[in-house]
Amino acid sequence: MTILITGANRGIGNALFESYTTKGHTVLGTHRAADAGNMRQLDVTDPASQEALAGRLGDTALDLLVCNAGVFLDRGENLNDGYPAQMWADTFAANVTGVFLTIQNMLPLLRRARHAKIAIVSSQMASHTHASGHSYIYRASKAAALNLGRNLATDLKPEGIAVGIYHPGWVRTDMGGGSASLSVEESAAGLIDRFTALNLETTGCFETWDGRAHAY
């Protein structure tokens, strides 16, 4: 199986990269630095960078695309005078537009594979039924990515491409913090199980890392 994982240089993305590599798959990761080994240069917010990566991958048949790269910039912002406009733009560029551009540019590679899959690493903060306040920009961006994934699932199902959206759990990463309940290895193992189970019958699902259906 050939797999591409965005944001694979650290955190959950790196754990997924290492686990799939250990299992013997052909795994390509992306980071913002120059190409190095199986890590490819990609700025998900830059259309030219997206097109360049697709060109470098040539006639690769891609079995699984994991859209993991993202940012959480508004932690600690306050409602009275925080959440500046540029922070909204930068977050949506990475967490929403970046996901769309990645999928759009990798579609020719996915179409070459049999039963290709797209996994979008989202968050429980995408859910409108779990509205605990704060972090408005991040929450809004993840809700948009969830909506994007579910609509792509509808459009790509006739082509045999399944799309799933996943909450990775509260993970001990730079984003999740040191007091989080899960290690990156635990989260990655659960996510890999979810990606394996994804098929055209479950396309459009929003699930947790441990297999529970998540409320929208």
Side-chain angles (χ1 to χ4, degrees):
M1 188 162 66
T2 300
I3 303 162
L4 178 67
I5 303 167
T6 65
N9 56 312
R10 62 180 182 176
I12 297 168
N14 186 253
L16 290 168
F17 180 91
E18 295 295 340
S19 183
Y20 274 125
T21 300
T22 299
K23 294 176 187 292
H25 297 291
T26 299
V27 190
L28 303 172
T30 77
H31 59 182
R32 292 189 179 186
D35 286 5
N38 281 352
M39 284 288 184
R40 301 292 191 266
Q41 192 280 329
L42 176 65
D43 179 349
V44 297
T45 70
D46 182 0
S49 179
Q50 293 273 10
E51 292 171 9
L53 176 60
R56 293 200 303 280
L57 293 178
D59 60 357
T60 299
L62 191 60
D63 298 290
L64 173 62
L65 170 62
V66 182
C67 295
N68 167 73
V71 297
F72 187 174
L73 304 180
D74 60 321
R75 184 185 284 107
E77 290 290 311
N78 71 84
L79 183 57
N80 292 328
D81 59 7
Y83 303 99
Q86 190 60 51
M87 189 177 288
W88 283 89
D90 291 343
T91 301
F92 270 71
N95 294 358
V96 186
T97 309
V99 172
F100 178 79
L101 290 176
T102 302
I103 294 170
Q104 185 179 54
N105 281 275
M106 294 302 138
L107 264 179
L109 286 70
L110 291 160
R111 286 170 172 150
R112 293 190 190 108
R114 288 176 55 85
H115 310 300
K117 303 178 185 184
I118 299 168
I120 299 172
V121 178
S122 182
S123 169
Q124 66 181 0
M125 294 168 76
S127 171
H128 69 269
T129 60
H130 291 272
S132 57
H134 307 293
S135 303
Y136 303 118
I137 303 176
Y138 183 76
R139 291 179 187 278
S141 73
K142 288 300 185 180
L146 171 60
N147 183 276
L148 172 64
R150 286 182 57 76
N151 281 283
L152 284 167
T154 297
D155 288 340
L156 293 175
K157 185 175 182 178
E159 298 191 46
I161 299 174
V163 182
I165 307 96
Y166 302 94
H167 168 51
W170 185 25
V171 187
R172 291 189 292 276
T173 62
D174 291 343
M175 187 179 292
S179 61
S181 57
L182 289 175
S183 69
V184 291
E185 292 80 13
E186 289 171 312
S187 175
L191 289 172
I192 288 172
D193 288 342
R194 304 284 73 71
F195 304 164
T196 300
L198 176 64
N199 57 48
L200 291 177
E201 295 300 316
T202 60
T203 191
C205 62
F206 181 29
E207 295 180 341
T208 64
W209 66 280
D210 54 354
R212 290 172 289 125
H214 204 296
Y216 292 102

